[in-house]
Amino acid sequence: MTLTIGVDVGGTKVLGAVVDPAGTVLAEVRRHTPANDVSETLTTIVDTIAELAKDHQVEAVGIGAAGWIDARRSTVLFAPNLAWKGEPLRDKVAAEVGLPVVVENDANVAGWAEYRFGAAAHVENMVLFTVGTGIGGAVVLDGALVRGAHGMAGELGHMLAVPDGHPCGCGRRGCIEQYASGKALVRSARRRAAENPEQARVLLEHAGGDPGLIDGPTVTAAARAGDPVAIAAFDEIGYWLGNGMADLVQILDPEVIVVGGGVVEAGELLLEPARRACHEALQARGALPYAEIRAAEMGPYAGVVGAADLARRR
């Protein structure tokens, strides 16, 4: 049985795991990310791999990194929440650990995990939306991860939703990330609660009476308790997400669209309005088939499992 290591590097944590060919996590190590220090981040990744390899015979390492990765899966071109810019991460880690290394975008490794072992395990064409503070994505077509000419395909959060809309961190205006992300959920809930505090009674109780203290978990808890303003905030981001899904149905024709990321913990509060909006946007197609929308299944291990499996298939 060949074992590989997957490492998921984010702005706050480094999670490493030994993964078998069935996608089962056999051992894990979790460390804090020294995000502002390139050298210390490298040391943390190397130490994580060394600790896991000490008790397991592994053949390769896959690293999922929150940033833009070049076409050779070697260099982190830029990472918004880490100090990497043009960082030759693959070669540096390989030199330290003495194993083959593959580096890939964090949403791509999560999408690959869902394709291989999770919500899209029995299809050949799928799209993943990761809905968190922002929106990421991954595309698998005919069983292959779509990376594009420069390794940067699948940035689904930066499709246009509203011409000349809210400014986005990517430099454009009106990206879907500004309308369907966790950040958008909170912005909508705060605005609605301030405008109509009577209807937002439960939501404001959860936030200690201050609309400015409303956050994602607060909106989810209030919506589950039936607060109409919190439910309306989920309906709003679900509408935009569903319309983005409809565009991808027309362009890519996937069998399954998977929704992952932190916001999907709200379950049907998000998925139901997204499905409804997608269906309404595609009504003109008549009886033509289109993608099933499912919640992600791999949870917090999607990154390490996907990275480890890509390393196995390097």
Side-chain angles (χ1 to χ4, degrees):
M1 178 174 65
T2 59
L3 302 179
T4 51
I5 289 174
V7 183
D8 184 6
V9 185
T12 59
K13 76 171 190 324
V14 173
L15 175 63
V18 177
V19 182
D20 73 10
T24 303
V25 172
L26 304 180
E28 66 179 271
V29 171
R30 189 182 302 262
R31 298 176 186 269
H32 170 72
T33 306
N36 295 319
D37 190 316
V38 173
S39 177
E40 286 300 314
T41 299
L42 175 64
T43 299
T44 300
I45 294 170
V46 169
D47 288 349
T48 298
I49 295 167
E51 184 171 341
L52 291 166
K54 180 175 59 178
D55 298 320
H56 298 85
Q57 186 172 353
V58 297
E59 68 169 26
V61 175
I63 300 174
W68 285 268
I69 314 300
D70 74 338
R72 297 187 304 120
R73 287 178 167 160
S74 63
T75 300
V76 183
L77 301 173
F78 178 70
N81 298 310
L82 295 156
W84 289 328
K85 187 173 183 179
E87 177 68 9
L89 187 62
R90 181 191 67 185
D91 294 345
K92 283 187 176 182
V93 173
E96 293 287 341
V97 303
L99 291 167
V101 176
V102 170
V103 180
E104 183 56 272
N105 170 266
D106 59 340
N108 278 351
V109 297
W112 187 254
E114 294 294 341
Y115 163 71
R116 287 278 292 131
F117 308 108
H122 303 295
V123 304
E124 288 297 296
N125 302 278
M126 61 84 68
V127 172
L128 170 74
F129 278 91
T130 58
V131 184
T133 303
I135 291 180
V139 178
V140 176
L141 295 180
D142 296 327
L145 184 64
V146 176
R147 305 191 69 252
H150 306 100
M152 292 179 279
E155 290 293 334
L156 306 184
H158 301 290
M159 299 187 296
L160 182 66
V162 179
D164 201 30
H166 294 305
C168 183
C170 74
R172 301 178 69 201
R173 299 181 70 94
C175 292
I176 194 171
E177 178 173 294
Q178 299 304 314
Y179 295 87
S181 63
K183 185 185 298 183
L185 174 72
V186 170
R187 184 178 64 238
S188 174
R190 287 178 176 176
R191 184 192 74 245
R192 292 170 183 274
E195 291 172 351
N196 199 339
E198 282 301 313
Q199 284 199 355
R201 182 180 54 81
V202 174
L203 177 60
L204 288 169
E205 284 177 359
H206 279 80
D210 183 354
L213 296 180
I214 292 171
D215 59 13
T218 300
V219 183
T220 301
R224 286 176 174 156
D227 184 276
V229 166
I231 292 170
F234 272 108
D235 285 346
E236 182 177 331
I237 71 163
Y239 167 83
W240 291 111
L241 184 62
N243 275 274
M245 292 173 174
D247 288 344
L248 288 176
V249 166
Q250 301 280 30
I251 297 167
L252 301 176
D253 189 27
E255 293 152 272
V256 172
I257 297 174
V258 179
V259 183
V263 180
V264 82
E265 293 179 11
E268 291 300 312
L269 288 169
L270 173 63
L271 296 177
E272 193 280 328
R275 290 191 188 102
R276 183 172 67 245
C278 183
H279 174 73
E280 290 174 356
L282 294 172
Q283 279 186 342
R285 286 166 58 102
L288 294 177
Y290 61 88
E292 181 181 351
I293 299 168
R294 301 176 183 171
E297 296 179 357
M298 298 301 293
Y301 293 103
V304 292
V305 170
D309 196 65
L310 286 172
R312 183 174 292 108
R313 295 162 174 266
R314 64 195 182 281

